[in-house]
Amino acid sequence: MSHSSLAVIHPEAQIGQNVTIGPFAVIEKDVIIGDNCHIYSHAVILNGARIGNNCTIFPNAVIAGIPQDLKFRGEDSIAEIGNNTTIRECVTVNRGTASRGKTVVGSNCLLMAYSHIAHDCILKDNIIIGNATQLAGEVEVEDHAIISGGCLVHQFVRISSHVMIQGGSRIGKDIPPYTLIGREPIVYCGINIVGLRRRGFTNEQVFLIQDIYRTLYTRGLNNSEALRCIETEYSPSIERDLILNFIKSSTRGIVRGSIDE
């Protein structure tokens, strides 16, 4: 470990091999940091932080701050960060409450400056959270989602995989997989073709996803009717089943279609 003599590191904190800690960083007692991490000056790593390998935490980020939840009563909980994740300046990741006991940010994620991950959020892998985007409590975000800068995400919202959400969006409904979301108020604007191409989706997969969402959003059907059509008109596949299961399990309801369609 290489650390500045000006850093404040509790002697019982568990810190891995080849970790660099800058001056005026603070690391409390109940902290675990994996190998090959870089903790910059003035970063604050509080009790309950569990940080994986190869992570970079920039100045003034705060990991495992107590939840901003009036129901919190000081219970033990954690904030877990996966491997290869970058946390930029002034990001805050609060630890969990009795509801889930933990807040989780997965591996290979990028949390840009001033973003906030509230208590009991669950973020999977390969996610990008844009500058100043704010996630309220118990939000769930699936793999490869991109939430652009300045977004506000209501508590309990679920954002599925491979989505792209326009900057400045206010998100109060669940966002189904593979979609491109934008405008004000937010609506379905198509599928995230660029993201899918970058991740190796074939033409056949892209066309299937497009066709399923045409059934959902452009045939004048309500959700129940559209789901029945999707089940009967399309053979089982990973893409079809992910869309179906996400919509069926939504308790908040999904984002609406564009009025232009």
Side-chain angles (χ1 to χ4, degrees), residues 193-258:
I193 293 177
V194 173
L196 297 180
R197 296 287 191 206
R198 287 173 177 169
R199 295 172 202 127
F201 280 69
T202 64
N203 286 338
E204 182 181 28
Q205 290 171 302
V206 169
F207 296 153
L208 172 63
I209 293 166
Q210 284 179 319
D211 211 37
I212 289 172
Y213 278 113
R214 289 190 189 102
T215 298
L216 179 65
Y217 282 119
T218 69
R219 284 172 55 174
L221 305 173
N222 65 36
N223 278 357
S224 296
E225 293 168 339
L227 290 174
R228 284 194 294 270
C229 286
I230 293 167
E231 285 185 297
T232 56
E233 295 178 11
Y234 301 92
S235 300
S237 66
I238 292 173
E239 294 77 28
R240 186 207 77 157
D241 295 346
L242 182 60
I243 295 168
L244 276 175
N245 293 334
F246 183 89
I247 297 171
K248 286 180 177 180
S249 64
S250 174
T251 58
R252 297 189 61 83
I254 63 169
V255 64
R256 68 183 179 89
S258 171

Side-chain angles (χ1 to χ4, degrees), residues 82-117:
N83 299 325
N84 309 305
T85 284
T86 297
I87 297 176
R88 294 301 305 252
E89 297 83 356
C90 302
V91 168
T92 50
V93 181
N94 291 170
R95 59 188 175 96
T97 68
S99 174
R100 287 178 173 163
K102 62 181 179 179
T103 302
V104 178
V105 176
S107 296
N108 305 300
C109 293
L110 170 58
L111 308 185
M112 293 187 186
Y114 292 94
S115 57
H116 172 66
I117 312 299

Side-chain angles (χ1 to χ4, degrees), residues 6-205:
L6 297 176
V8 179
I9 305 170
H10 194 284
E12 295 183 35
Q14 300 180 44
I15 299 175
Q17 300 297 312
N18 194 34
V19 174
T20 300
I21 302 173
F24 309 110
V26 175
I27 299 176
E28 291 193 335
K29 176 180 178 180
D30 182 22
V31 168
I32 300 174
I33 299 175
D35 298 338
N36 304 307
C37 291
H38 190 153
I39 313 299
Y40 277 88
S41 173
H42 295 282
V44 178
I45 317 295
L46 300 174
N47 288 325
R50 305 288 184 265
I51 298 170
N53 300 324
N54 305 303
C55 291
T56 304
I57 300 177
F58 278 75
N60 299 303
V62 181
I63 310 301
I66 63 171
Q68 299 175 103
D69 183 345
L70 296 177
K71 299 185 297 297
F72 182 69
R73 293 292 180 267
E75 58 266 25
D76 289 339
S77 61
I78 65 173
E80 179 181 310
I81 310 295
N83 299 325
N84 309 305
T85 284
T86 297
I87 297 176
R88 294 301 305 252
E89 297 83 356
C90 302
V91 168
T92 50
V93 181
N94 291 170
R95 59 188 175 96
T97 68
S99 174
R100 287 178 173 163
K102 62 181 179 179
T103 302
V104 178
V105 176
S107 296
N108 305 300
C109 293
L110 170 58
L111 308 185
M112 293 187 186
Y114 292 94
S115 57
H116 172 66
I117 312 299
H119 65 87
D120 302 292
C121 287
I122 304 294
L123 280 61
K124 297 294 182 65
D125 300 333
N126 302 291
I127 290 166
I128 298 174
I129 305 295
N131 293 296
T133 281
Q134 312 290 294
L135 273 56
E138 304 196 42
V139 167
E140 298 178 16
V141 185
E142 298 291 330
D143 297 331
H144 294 284
I146 299 175
I147 307 176
S148 302
C151 292
L152 303 176
V153 184
H154 196 281
Q155 62 183 351
F156 304 114
V157 158
R158 297 166 57 228
I159 297 172
S160 193
S161 54
H162 299 286
V163 306
M164 165 70 87
I165 300 175
Q166 174 184 308
S169 297
R170 294 180 295 169
I171 304 160
K173 295 289 188 180
D174 291 345
I175 309 299
Y178 312 118
T179 56
L180 182 67
I181 303 299
R183 304 187 188 175
E184 175 59 34
I186 60 167
V187 293
Y188 166 79
C189 297
I191 71 167
N192 181 19
I193 293 177
V194 173
L196 297 180
R197 296 287 191 206
R198 287 173 177 169
R199 295 172 202 127
F201 280 69
T202 64
N203 286 338
E204 182 181 28
Q205 290 171 302

